[in-house]
Amino acid sequence: MPKLLVPIDFSRVSLNAALYAVQMAENMPKKEVLLYNVVEPTVVGSDGTPMSIDSGSIIKTNKDGLQTLQVSLFELGKSPMDVISEEGDFLESVKSAVASKNIDIVVVGTTGSSGNRGFLGSNALNVARDNNCPVLIVPPDAEFKGISRILIAVNLQNVDATIAIEPIKKWLDAFNPEVHFVYVNESESGSLTNQQESEKAKLLNIFADYKSNFTVLNGKEFAQILNVYVDLNKIDHIVVFPRKQGIFDHIFSTSHAEKLTHHSKVPILSVHN
């Protein structure tokens, strides 16, 4: 049974992510959505001094809020849902819940380029980096309208080892989208090396059973280039693969990731291998 975990802090972006998750889950067989709230045991006052809080009463209040949200969302999508509110460190609690609840995908909202990023807005990228299960980062104004076309950003280095092949194939089997493999070429020549051509052929062979195409986009502004392509080709999701082996060949580097998540108009699916 596919299980989706949606962190909720009752901000607009987290509520929108929950709505997106429920509507998306309607396309999945035998799914379950878990609305998840974390109450951190201390907060910081205006002068930076840690302040203790009454976690018990806040957890009870938040759980009541989650149950109200559950009823509202069930009217929009008939996915089975459960709610949890508990005390802990946010990132560690999400990681623990993913493991203990056998979560298949985390759906988290982000405030994008808004100046007031909020708690979840500032943590969405950390959730993606910190969890081995797929994480879908949902922009504040994203609406679920189906998944007909997805863009998979690749870097043409050891594609069979760096691309999460099986998780991606499960995603493609669930939604049957048109797949756009895109490589952003930052080299001065603007052309692929022989090794990159070999990796491209390997990639297309791995996904030969799916309707796909391959595009090379030249330039150094990774996020801007991808977002223009998304607009022109009516892409519904961007898929990226965070890597831990290096820095310079790291497609999900801090600069690329922050620019992409802060300015993308469509959800970004981060899939670890």
Side-chain angles (χ1 to χ4, degrees):
M1 173 187 291
K3 290 187 176 181
L4 295 79
L5 183 144
V6 188
I8 300 290
D9 65 356
F10 300 100
S11 64
R12 184 178 75 86
V13 295
S14 71
L15 298 178
N16 184 62
L19 174 60
Y20 194 99
V22 167
Q23 293 176 326
M24 182 178 69
E26 286 298 289
N27 295 269
M28 301 176 175
K30 297 181 179 178
K31 62 281 179 179
E32 180 181 358
V33 177
L34 176 60
L35 304 177
Y36 186 65
N37 170 260
V38 178
V39 176
E40 297 206 323
T42 59
V43 296
V44 177
S46 59
D47 61 351
T49 303
M51 301 169 58
S52 298
I53 60 174
D54 183 359
S55 300
S57 62
I58 295 177
I59 288 172
K60 182 181 184 304
T61 299
N62 288 0
K63 187 171 183 179
D64 291 341
L66 291 177
Q67 290 172 336
T68 300
L69 176 61
Q70 177 184 10
V71 173
S72 300
L73 290 173
F74 191 76
E75 295 175 355
L76 301 172
K78 304 303 181 183
S79 300
M81 276 179 275
D82 199 1
V83 303
I84 294 178
S85 181
E86 60 185 5
E87 182 181 33
D89 173 79
F90 176 74
L91 292 176
E92 288 301 318
S93 295
V94 170
K95 185 188 294 187
S96 177
V98 166
S100 64
K101 304 297 182 182
N102 296 316
I103 298 299
D104 295 290
I105 180 171
V106 177
V107 181
V108 60
T110 181
T111 53
S113 58
S114 168
N116 181 18
R117 293 165 63 183
F119 180 69
L120 276 184
S122 62
N123 272 289
L125 200 55
N126 291 329
V127 172
R129 290 195 185 105
D130 213 34
N131 284 276
N132 287 328
C133 80
V135 175
L136 186 68
I137 301 173
V138 181
D141 298 316
E143 298 179 20
F144 183 78
K145 299 177 180 178
I147 303 176
S148 299
R149 300 179 188 86
I150 68 171
L151 182 159
I152 300 181
V154 296
N155 70 349
L156 296 181
Q157 292 185 357
N158 301 319
V159 296
D160 50 349
T162 57
I163 289 180
I165 296 171
E166 292 310 314
I168 287 298
K169 286 188 174 182
K170 288 182 180 179
W171 196 255
L172 300 182
D173 290 340
F175 295 100
N176 193 32
E178 179 179 289
V179 184
H180 294 239
F181 291 106
V182 174
Y183 172 64
V184 178
N185 188 1
E186 299 182 357
S187 70
E188 296 295 333
S189 67
S191 58
L192 299 182
T193 65
N194 290 337
Q195 180 62 35
Q196 288 173 328
E197 289 285 2
S198 175
E199 292 295 323
K200 170 186 170 182
K202 188 191 304 182
L203 174 72
L204 294 177
N205 182 61
I206 291 172
F207 292 93
D209 293 336
Y210 301 92
K211 182 169 64 175
S212 65
N213 59 68
F214 188 97
T215 301
V216 177
L217 301 176
N218 296 313
K220 296 184 180 299
E221 295 296 328
F222 179 84
Q224 181 181 347
I225 290 169
L226 285 191
N227 284 327
V228 169
Y229 187 93
V230 165
D231 288 340
L232 291 176
N233 293 276
K234 296 180 170 57
I235 299 296
D236 298 302
H237 278 182
I238 298 172
V239 179
V240 294
F241 304 99
R243 296 179 57 198
K244 299 178 180 178
Q245 299 98 314
I247 296 176
F248 299 108
D249 62 344
H250 190 167
I251 199 169
F252 207 61
S253 68
T254 299
S255 59
H256 283 342
E258 289 186 354
K259 289 179 181 178
L260 191 58
T261 55
H262 292 168
H263 297 284
S264 177
K265 298 176 183 177
V266 302
I268 299 170
L269 180 67
S270 167
V271 187
H272 288 263
N273 193 342

